Amino acid sequence: MTILLLSGSPSSPSRSTRLLQHAGEKLNALGQRTVSLHVRDLPAEALMNADFSDTELNVARLLVERADALVIATPIYKAAYSGLLKAFLDILPQDGLNGKIILPLATAGSQSHMLALDYALRPVLTSLSARHVLPGVYATDAQVQWHEQQGLQLDAAIAQRVADGVQLLAESLSSLRHIHASKPAVAELMCCRA
């Protein structure tokens, strides 16, 4: 099973992307396979025009399609997730997240926009048919610090919330894997009863 690490930040480097990378490292440590996609690296004109003849855009859509779960990271601007992430989500089919488990991550300047994950991003993810949107992790700039010598420094509460979110995602994938594994056995049982 594959987890797509989707960065919706227009900046590089950014706090939200560093938080995403941290979550990815935690998932890898649990034996999960991750793949990264930075929306800012996609061709802007193709993205804005939903040009599906563009190879890079189609590869990005295929990465989403093939992923079993996504960790989506975005900065919060004016109480909403990034416009770049919105542009990418807009090019997905109406059921583009069908059956997928999503862990949202967000960073912002203050606690003022904490509900943006629940009131702005969650409804969009649900409308794209996500199987389950896990409780998100919202961190302020003060809680996600980068130092050249020490690297990423997370506030203890945020580090714990990321660890909890990653663990819940891994457990959810394990349950999903178990369900998929038992489906052929059920089909065989039904076949033999006929």
Side-chain angles (χ1 to χ4, degrees):
M1 296 197 135
T2 302
I3 302 169
L4 179 62
L5 306 175
L6 179 63
S7 171
S9 177
S11 303
S12 176
S14 72
R15 284 181 171 85
S16 62
T17 301
R18 285 183 170 138
L19 191 61
L20 178 66
Q21 290 168 337
H22 175 74
E25 290 166 5
K26 294 279 187 194
L27 286 161
N28 294 149
L30 291 174
Q32 301 294 330
R33 182 173 170 259
T34 60
V35 176
S36 295
L37 173 62
H38 300 274
V39 179
R40 72 173 175 274
D41 293 338
L42 296 174
E45 188 172 336
L47 181 62
M48 296 312 293
N49 292 318
D51 179 3
F52 299 123
S53 66
D54 185 89
T55 304
E56 289 181 64
L57 205 57
N58 283 321
V59 167
R61 287 170 40 119
L62 193 59
L63 286 173
V64 172
E65 182 184 318
R66 291 186 176 170
D68 299 289
L70 286 83
V71 181
I72 299 176
T74 180
I76 301 296
Y77 302 118
K78 296 183 172 60
Y81 57 97
S82 76
L84 187 63
L85 179 58
K86 172 73 168 126
F88 183 73
L89 294 175
D90 283 349
I91 66 162
L92 297 179
Q94 187 58 47
D95 62 348
L97 298 177
N98 187 34
K100 299 180 191 320
I101 301 165
I102 313 291
L103 174 61
L105 309 175
T107 58
S110 73
Q111 295 286 350
S112 300
H113 304 298
M114 182 182 283
L115 296 177
L117 281 176
D118 288 330
Y119 292 128
L121 186 56
R122 184 177 295 271
V124 173
L125 300 175
T126 302
S127 76
L128 289 169
S129 303
R131 174 189 280 278
H132 186 54
V133 181
L134 301 173
V137 177
Y138 179 95
T140 65
D141 290 351
Q143 294 172 313
V144 180
Q145 293 290 317
W146 177 261
H147 304 284
E148 289 303 320
Q149 286 76 30
Q150 300 104 332
L152 183 65
Q153 301 293 306
L154 296 179
D155 177 84
I158 295 303
Q160 186 59 55
R161 293 202 58 211
V162 170
D164 292 345
V166 161
Q167 186 65 41
L168 184 56
L169 178 57
E171 290 169 2
S172 298
L173 279 174
S174 179
S175 296
L176 190 60
R177 193 176 294 123
H178 179 70
I179 289 168
H180 287 302
S182 65
K183 280 185 181 179
V186 171
E188 288 172 17
L189 188 69
M190 296 304 287
C191 177
C192 294
R193 289 179 129 187

